[in-house]
Amino acid sequence: MIEELLPPRVACVETTDDHVVTLFPEERAAVAGAVEKRRREFSTARWCARQALRRLDMPPTPIVPGRRGAPSWPAAVVGSITHCAGFRAAAVAHQRDLLTLGIDAEPNEPLSPGVFETISTPDERDEHRMLGKFGSVCWDRMLFSIKESVYKAWYPVTHQFLDFAEATVRIDAERRTFHAELHAPPAHVSGVRVAAFTGRWAASEGLLVSAIAVPSRRYLPTAHEDRAWPVARAGR
Ligand SMILES: CC(C)(COP(=O)(O)OP(=O)(O)OC[C@H]1O[C@@H](n2cnc3c(N)ncnc32)[C@H](O)[C@@H]1OP(=O)(O)O)[C@@H](O)C(=O)NCCC(=O)NCCS
């Protein structure tokens, strides 16, 4: 599901089953005191990440939660992880191609009472009223997923927390895209000004997924890639 939202040079592996994987000692230590559910999602996400890294011809390396929980990827690799009930995924790419990546999956269920008001801006609440007519998507949860993808793409390149009020998301229900305007001071990363993110979303099999992939300055899409991933440059 998520792979279809990402450009061809991103390796994305997702699964609906839990998988047995040998964790590195540092990974084992990271979940030593965790409950079984957390150990399972953590391990299966590492399984996904190892498979995805292999597609980039990278050997397995420990992927441990670092500062504020951001996963540690091998040098010159960017990536993102998500897990929710019945779904786990990891996406990785070479840094020469992508500046950053953010993926998120959520159940297609309404948020608990009061949460939408906490995570949304007034503009987003206005838009939410209009989106109601588009299909069976729980738009409040979709907004949440998109904001989680925004944070996962933002944090690794800025090392700054981003509050829910610091992004205003506009969802295009027909094109299945979104645009997130950031209200935090823009970041300048490897020559790219990061003040907004553009991404894609999907809803299927009881899940909502969203993804952001920001191309690096050196990313030169082939004609085929440009057709397959027309939002590549809009992410800047
Ligand atoms: C960290 C957070 C984004 C995780 O999202 P989630 O929907 O709860 O959980 P998911 O299962 O989809 O994602 C978990 C994965 O996110 C990744 N992650 C955690 N913190 C991260 C960070 N600071 N930066 C990038 N990725 C991070 C990790 O890989 C984690 O999996 P792991 O612990 O197995 O490695 C969320 O819990 C959070 O803290 N949000 C507050 C900040 C925010 O969302 N701001 C909105 C800005 S508009």
Side-chain angles (χ1 to χ4, degrees), residues 152-220:
K152 291 178 192 176
W154 167 260
Y155 184 82
V157 290
T158 60
H159 309 290
Q160 299 289 322
F161 185 74
L162 191 70
D163 195 74
F164 284 98
E166 290 182 291
T168 300
V169 173
R170 292 192 65 89
I171 300 174
D172 188 323
E174 281 168 353
R175 293 182 180 193
R176 299 184 177 223
T177 59
F178 61 84
H179 183 80
E181 201 67 44
L182 306 182
H183 310 307
H188 294 269
V189 188
S190 305
V192 178
R193 184 174 181 270
V194 181
F197 290 120
T198 298
R200 288 173 158 185
W201 61 267
S204 174
E205 295 163 34
L207 288 175
L208 305 178
V209 292
S210 59
I212 292 167
V214 183
S216 75
R217 271 166 72 104
R218 287 177 290 167
Y219 185 97
L220 290 173

Side-chain angles (χ1 to χ4, degrees), residues 88-110:
R88 288 90 168 79
V92 293
H94 290 293
Q95 219 166 30
R96 64 172 181 260
D97 292 329
L98 290 196
L99 198 67
T100 189
L101 259 175
I103 63 169
D104 190 73
E106 299 286 331
N108 189 5
E109 293 164 6

Side-chain angles (χ1 to χ4, degrees), residues 38 42 46 65 67-71 81-83 104 106 147-148 150-152 155-156 161-164 167:
R38 170 65 179 143
F42 180 94
R46 269 68 203 162
R67 215 173 139 238
R68 280 199 181 268
I81 284 173
T82 187
H83 23 61
D104 190 73
E106 299 286 331
K147 287 196 158 184
E148 298 301 61
V150 165
Y151 183 65
K152 291 178 192 176
Y155 184 82
F161 185 74
L162 191 70
D163 195 74
F164 284 98

